[in-house]
PDB file of all heavy atoms in Angstrom:
ATOM      1  N   VAL A 335       5.384 -25.212   2.260  1.00 87.00           N
ATOM      2  CA  VAL A 335       4.363 -24.458   1.549  1.00 87.00           C
ATOM      3  C   VAL A 335       3.510 -23.733   2.590  1.00 87.00           C
ATOM      4  O   VAL A 335       2.922 -24.377   3.469  1.00 87.00           O
ATOM      5  CB  VAL A 335       3.467 -25.382   0.689  1.00 87.00           C
ATOM      6  CG1 VAL A 335       2.346 -24.578   0.041  1.00 87.00           C
ATOM      7  CG2 VAL A 335       4.299 -26.098  -0.360  1.00 87.00           C
ATOM      8  N   PRO A 336       3.440 -22.378   2.565  1.00 85.00           N
ATOM      9  CA  PRO A 336       2.651 -21.647   3.559  1.00 85.00           C
ATOM     10  C   PRO A 336       1.176 -22.006   3.493  1.00 85.00           C
ATOM     11  O   PRO A 336       0.621 -22.225   2.411  1.00 85.00           O
ATOM     12  CB  PRO A 336       2.882 -20.178   3.175  1.00 85.00           C
ATOM     13  CG  PRO A 336       4.125 -20.177   2.351  1.00 85.00           C
ATOM     14  CD  PRO A 336       4.147 -21.484   1.636  1.00 85.00           C
ATOM     15  N   ALA A 337       0.538 -22.072   4.657  1.00 86.00           N
ATOM     16  CA  ALA A 337      -0.907 -22.297   4.719  1.00 86.00           C
ATOM     17  C   ALA A 337      -1.613 -20.964   4.520  1.00 86.00           C
ATOM     18  O   ALA A 337      -1.628 -20.121   5.416  1.00 86.00           O
ATOM     19  CB  ALA A 337      -1.286 -22.916   6.061  1.00 86.00           C
ATOM     20  N   ASN A 338      -2.175 -20.757   3.338  1.00 79.00           N
ATOM     21  CA  ASN A 338      -2.753 -19.461   2.975  1.00 79.00           C
ATOM     22  C   ASN A 338      -4.266 -19.486   2.808  1.00 79.00           C
ATOM     23  O   ASN A 338      -4.834 -18.561   2.250  1.00 79.00           O
ATOM     24  CB  ASN A 338      -2.130 -18.962   1.660  1.00 79.00           C
ATOM     25  CG  ASN A 338      -0.664 -18.674   1.792  1.00 79.00           C
ATOM     26  OD1 ASN A 338      -0.229 -18.127   2.804  1.00 79.00           O
ATOM     27  ND2 ASN A 338       0.117 -19.046   0.795  1.00 79.00           N
ATOM     28  N   GLY A 339      -4.897 -20.547   3.251  1.00 81.00           N
ATOM     29  CA  GLY A 339      -6.337 -20.607   3.098  1.00 81.00           C
ATOM     30  C   GLY A 339      -6.795 -21.068   1.732  1.00 81.00           C
ATOM     31  O   GLY A 339      -7.952 -20.866   1.375  1.00 81.00           O
ATOM     32  N   ASP A 340      -5.902 -21.673   0.945  1.00 86.00           N
ATOM     33  CA  ASP A 340      -6.277 -22.153  -0.382  1.00 86.00           C
ATOM     34  C   ASP A 340      -7.118 -23.418  -0.284  1.00 86.00           C
ATOM     35  O   ASP A 340      -7.046 -24.174   0.694  1.00 86.00           O
ATOM     36  CB  ASP A 340      -5.034 -22.443  -1.218  1.00 86.00           C
ATOM     37  CG  ASP A 340      -4.301 -21.162  -1.617  1.00 86.00           C
ATOM     38  OD1 ASP A 340      -4.886 -20.077  -1.420  1.00 86.00           O
ATOM     39  OD2 ASP A 340      -3.163 -21.251  -2.097  1.00 86.00           O
ATOM     40  N   ALA A 341      -7.902 -23.684  -1.332  1.00 89.00           N
ATOM     41  CA  ALA A 341      -8.740 -24.878  -1.357  1.00 89.00           C
ATOM     42  C   ALA A 341      -7.906 -26.142  -1.539  1.00 89.00           C
ATOM     43  O   ALA A 341      -8.314 -27.232  -1.132  1.00 89.00           O
ATOM     44  CB  ALA A 341      -9.778 -24.775  -2.466  1.00 89.00           C
ATOM     45  N   SER A 342      -6.744 -26.018  -2.167  1.00 93.00           N
ATOM     46  CA  SER A 342      -5.840 -27.149  -2.362  1.00 93.00           C
ATOM     47  C   SER A 342      -4.433 -26.610  -2.543  1.00 93.00           C
ATOM     48  O   SER A 342      -4.236 -25.426  -2.830  1.00 93.00           O
ATOM     49  CB  SER A 342      -6.253 -28.001  -3.570  1.00 93.00           C
ATOM     50  OG  SER A 342      -6.186 -27.225  -4.757  1.00 93.00           O
ATOM     51  N   TYR A 343      -3.449 -27.493  -2.390  1.00 94.00           N
ATOM     52  CA  TYR A 343      -2.049 -27.100  -2.484  1.00 94.00           C
ATOM     53  C   TYR A 343      -1.299 -28.072  -3.390  1.00 94.00           C
ATOM     54  O   TYR A 343      -1.749 -29.197  -3.630  1.00 94.00           O
ATOM     55  CB  TYR A 343      -1.395 -27.086  -1.102  1.00 94.00           C
ATOM     56  CG  TYR A 343      -1.984 -26.065  -0.151  1.00 94.00           C
ATOM     57  CD1 TYR A 343      -3.057 -26.401   0.698  1.00 94.00           C
ATOM     58  CD2 TYR A 343      -1.492 -24.773  -0.104  1.00 94.00           C
ATOM     59  CE1 TYR A 343      -3.593 -25.465   1.562  1.00 94.00           C
ATOM     60  CE2 TYR A 343      -2.022 -23.824   0.754  1.00 94.00           C
ATOM     61  CZ  TYR A 343      -3.072 -24.180   1.585  1.00 94.00           C
ATOM     62  OH  TYR A 343      -3.607 -23.251   2.438  1.00 94.00           O
ATOM     63  N   ALA A 344      -0.135 -27.618  -3.870  1.00 93.00           N
ATOM     64  CA  ALA A 344       0.688 -28.479  -4.718  1.00 93.00           C
ATOM     65  C   ALA A 344       2.149 -28.095  -4.581  1.00 93.00           C
ATOM     66  O   ALA A 344       2.480 -26.948  -4.241  1.00 93.00           O
ATOM     67  CB  ALA A 344       0.247 -28.385  -6.178  1.00 93.00           C
TER      68      ALA A 344
END
Side-chain angles (χ1 to χ4, degrees):
V335 176
N338 295 320
D340 290 349
S342 62
Y343 296 91

